[in-house]
Amino acid sequence: MTGFGVLDYFFWILLLIAFVMEAWALIDALTVPPNAYAAASKQTKKLWMIILIVAAVVGLAAAVLPLQGSSPVAVLFGILPVAAFIAAAVYLADVRPAVKPFKGRGGGRGSNMGPYGPW
């Protein structure tokens, strides 16, 4: 990353933040039971895992490319890093809130929940 200016570092930090968000979406999707997706009328867990794994790999590659000498601005405005970010954003904004009520079932902190709320 020799010869990079302040703006290049700023865009590289944006790439790192995007990768962290994609990794967060993937880790969260791993912790949700498969039947929660069907109960929330969302796509299957298998499909979301494929989408988020691809998004995390693309995000990691986009975050590492500037270390190899590529321009962070050029990498950030490529179609694949943008698509990976959008996939993670859709999961975190739409799917995660829908499946969250089904996440704690089966013991733990949600064990005192009835069908209409806590008892």
Side-chain angles (χ1 to χ4, degrees):
M1 290 185 50
T2 61
F4 280 11
V6 174
L7 195 58
D8 290 321
Y9 284 110
F10 172 74
F11 283 116
W12 184 55
I13 290 171
L14 287 180
L15 287 168
L16 290 175
I17 291 171
F19 169 65
V20 167
M21 190 176 112
E22 293 152 3
W24 172 34
L26 176 61
I27 291 168
D28 185 74
L30 285 170
T31 63
V32 176
N35 58 359
Y37 293 91
S41 298
K42 301 295 175 187
Q43 296 294 329
T44 64
K45 180 175 183 169
K46 184 177 181 179
L47 179 64
W48 274 111
M49 292 306 301
I50 292 170
I51 291 170
L52 293 174
I53 287 170
V54 170
V57 168
V58 168
L60 178 63
V64 171
L65 275 176
L67 297 175
Q68 306 299 323
S70 298
S71 169
V73 177
V75 173
L76 182 66
F77 292 124
I79 189 71
L80 289 179
V82 172
F85 178 80
I86 290 172
V90 166
Y91 176 82
L92 291 173
D94 182 43
V95 179
R96 183 175 186 258
V99 298
K100 191 174 184 178
F102 306 102
K103 202 171 178 180
R105 303 283 171 149
R109 60 185 175 169
S111 61
N112 63 347
M113 294 293 289
Y116 304 108
W119 50 272

